[in-house]
Amino acid sequence: MATMKSVQTGAPGQIELVEVERPHPGPKDVLVRVRACGICGTDVTFLHMGGMPARAHLGGELVPVALGHEPAGEIVEIGAEVTDLKAGDRVVVNPQDAPTGIIGCGGRYGGVSEYLLIENAVAGKSVAVFPDTVPFDVASLNEPMAVALHCVNRSGAQPSEQVVIFGAGPIGLGAAIWLKLRGVAHVVVVDVLPDRLETALAVGADAVINSAEEDVAARLTELHGRSANALGQPRPGTDVYIDAAGAPAVFHTVVGAARWGARLVMVAVQKKGAEIDLGGMLRSELTLIASQGYPTEIFEVTPQLIEHHERFARLISHRVPFAEAGRAFGLALTPGAAEKVVVTFDA
């Protein structure tokens, strides 16, 4: 029996590197040799918990999670009935298309493994092919960049509008790139870490604000001009606010700063519930828009990721070999230690 190594959750805050049977593709499947897989905040959540509930709605006991839902790799085996893919194709993966459960999020398989079975493999549905001009580590950004694009699509941001993004992690920075690629007039990124703000400028943000040192509303007024809420009280002229941070302070800041008719898009997972000033929302007729996942965007992003791969590559702060997976997840678990960690596999 051929085996492979795979990463799953262990005790809370720890991973386990396990030896498992290497999958064998059926007639409709392909086997991918994983070459890179990004680590996401969802992985960190599973690590903190030490797994996930077997029956979430019943509060069941925790079961291990095979980690990794941002893989890129090369097809090495192909089922007899697969006609639109071939061995040697370099592919990114739609983790939500797996019939045995979302890859890396409670499904049978995880992307931080030496090999990954793609069940019912169909080009453009379960995988997308990319050229060898794009490094595997950058290709692994395909999934989080789909999350970022869906957020931008939900915002409805127009070229003439002015946008501010809270949180210069991968999703926030990805949103900044997508906004600028579609010609949005002015994009500001807010964070408390200077290195992340430097990266935001490097990927195309028009301005940045360090919210630990600056008054966000005052600075936005300087950048986006003066407007007002429904009562005529002065407010920045910002049209769209994007919360890619997930901190209660963001909601308080936005509600206190929003002009009449502004929009707030919530893409970050909220770490704690926040009391929202509904009266403040009313005074601005602030529209709250939730953005979850990527209903259509998973492979819509791929052509532009290919075209602008050098720009997207700036989002990766750490590339860590699979042999040092413990260090990779340790970086991801440590607040402020890394922007985007990608686990890489030897050729």
Side-chain angles (χ1 to χ4, degrees), residues 271-282:
K271 299 169 182 64
K272 294 182 181 178
E275 292 219 0
I276 301 174
D277 179 3
L278 297 177
M281 291 185 69
L282 185 65

Side-chain angles (χ1 to χ4, degrees), residues 135-334:
F136 285 104
D137 57 354
V138 182
S140 74
L141 297 172
N142 191 90
E143 196 270 355
M145 291 307 98
V147 174
L149 180 61
H150 182 56
C151 161
V152 168
N153 287 341
R154 290 282 287 156
S155 78
Q158 300 299 308
S160 61
E161 293 190 306
Q162 303 179 113
V163 181
V164 60
I165 300 165
F166 291 85
I171 303 303
L173 294 176
I177 294 174
W178 293 127
L179 287 163
K180 295 310 296 183
L181 285 177
R182 66 176 52 182
V184 170
H186 199 273
V187 177
V188 181
V189 175
V190 180
D191 206 295
V192 297
L193 298 175
D195 288 349
R196 291 190 175 194
L197 295 175
E198 288 180 15
T199 304
L201 291 171
V203 300
D206 297 290
V208 295
I209 299 173
N210 187 328
S211 56
E213 300 175 354
E214 301 176 82
D215 182 307
V216 174
R219 184 76 177 113
L220 284 175
T221 300
E222 292 177 9
L223 293 165
H224 290 167
R226 185 179 296 275
S227 186
N229 66 7
L231 300 182
Q233 296 167 319
R235 296 290 186 266
T238 307
D239 301 290
V240 178
Y241 296 81
I242 293 176
D243 178 12
V250 172
F251 269 77
H252 300 320
T253 298
V254 173
V255 172
R259 66 159 181 80
W260 195 358
R263 311 189 294 281
L264 166 61
V265 184
M266 179 182 68
V267 63
V269 175
Q270 302 302 303
K271 299 169 182 64
K272 294 182 181 178
E275 292 219 0
I276 301 174
D277 179 3
L278 297 177
M281 291 185 69
L282 185 65
R283 288 189 293 274
S284 293
E285 291 193 344
L286 177 66
T287 299
L288 174 60
I289 303 166
S291 178
Q292 169 68 38
Y294 36 85
T296 64
E297 290 87 354
I298 184 64
F299 298 137
E300 291 175 11
V301 305
T302 311
Q304 289 197 77
L305 185 66
I306 293 168
E307 181 181 354
H308 303 282
H309 66 88
E310 292 179 351
R311 189 172 184 177
F312 285 100
R314 293 178 180 267
L315 303 188
I316 302 172
S317 61
H318 294 76
R319 296 164 176 84
V320 181
F322 181 59
E324 301 174 37
R327 180 168 71 88
F329 282 93
L331 283 166
L333 277 163
T334 306

